[in-house]
Amino acid sequence: MAKVVVYPGSFDPVTKGHLDIIERANNVFDKVIVSVFNNPRKRPLFDMEERVKMLKQVVKEYDSVEVDCFTGLLTTYLKQKEAKVIVRGLRAVSDFESEFQMASMNKKLDADIETIFMMTSTEYAYLSSSMIKEVASFEGCVRDLVPEFIVDRLFEKLKERDHLF
Ligand code: ADP
C-alpha cells in the first residue's frame, strides 16, 4: 500500500523552511499531501485560496505532492484521505511542547495515527511565517527565505491591508 503522509499547517505564507520539510518528506513517502488548515481562530494575512494557490505553484515540479485544505479535526481529515501519518517540522525546543500536545491529542483521538517530526535544516531553524510577515511589514529583506514569487505577493498583500510601516 502506498505510504501517504499529510503535512498540515497554516502556510501563511509558505517559506523555504516549509519547502525543505516537503522535499524531505517527499523523499521518504510515496505521496505527500500538504494541507492548509483553515483555522477559524486565526486571522491570516492570505486567505485560504491564496495560500493553496501559492503552495501549488511551489510544489508543481513534484508529481507526488498534492496540495489541499481542510477545516475541523485533523484526525477526521486523515481518515478521509486514507492516511495514517502526519509530518511536522521541529525548529527549536520551543516547538516541542505544543507539538507534543498536538501529537498526543491526535493519538488519543485516533490510535492508528502516527506523527513524525523532521528536524529543520539549520539554515531555516529561525524561520517562521510570522517572522517573515513582521520583517516584511517593516520593508526588511525576506529574499532567500521565501520562494521568489512570494516576495512580491507578500509586499502587495501587506500594502493592500495597510500593514506596511
Ligand atoms: P502551524 O500554524 O500549524 O504551526 P505553520 O505554517 O507555522 O503552521 O507550520 C507548519 C509546520 O511547518 C509546523 O510543523 C512547523 O513546525 C513547520 N515549520 C514551520 N517553519 C519551519 C521551518 N523553518 N523549518 C522546519 N519546519 C518548519
Side-chain angles (χ1 to χ4, degrees), residues 99-164:
E99 292 296 340
F100 177 73
Q101 282 186 330
M102 269 192 293
S104 307
M105 181 53 89
N106 285 331
K107 191 81 186 160
K108 168 88 182 118
L109 292 169
D110 188 337
D112 288 340
I113 288 174
E114 296 295 345
T115 304
I116 64 158
F117 296 95
M118 284 190 175
M119 302 297 291
T120 175
S121 303
T122 43
E123 57 185 311
Y124 303 128
Y126 62 95
L127 194 56
S128 65
S129 299
S130 40
M131 187 70 96
I132 292 288
K133 287 180 280 189
E134 179 94 13
V135 170
S137 71
F138 293 105
E139 301 196 62
C141 179
V142 292
R143 248 165 244 283
D144 299 338
L145 303 177
V146 293
E148 193 62 32
F149 74 94
I150 291 188
V151 178
D152 293 339
R153 295 228 193 145
L154 186 56
F155 283 109
E156 273 163 29
K157 180 59 84 177
L158 288 165
K159 210 179 215 164
E160 199 181 297
R161 293 274 181 98
D162 217 9
H163 282 190
L164 281 182

Side-chain angles (χ1 to χ4, degrees), residues 26 30-32 59-66:
N26 191 39
D30 300 316
K31 184 175 171 188
V32 181
V59 304
K60 64 175 190 282
E61 66 193 89
Y62 303 110
D63 294 339
S64 46
V65 179
E66 179 185 310

Side-chain angles (χ1 to χ4, degrees), residues 7-11 17-18 21 42 88-89 91 95 99 120 124 127:
Y7 180 30
S10 308
F11 306 105
H18 294 130
I21 300 286
K42 277 196 186 174
R88 297 280 290 174
R91 282 160 293 190
D95 276 343
E99 292 296 340
T120 175
Y124 303 128
L127 194 56

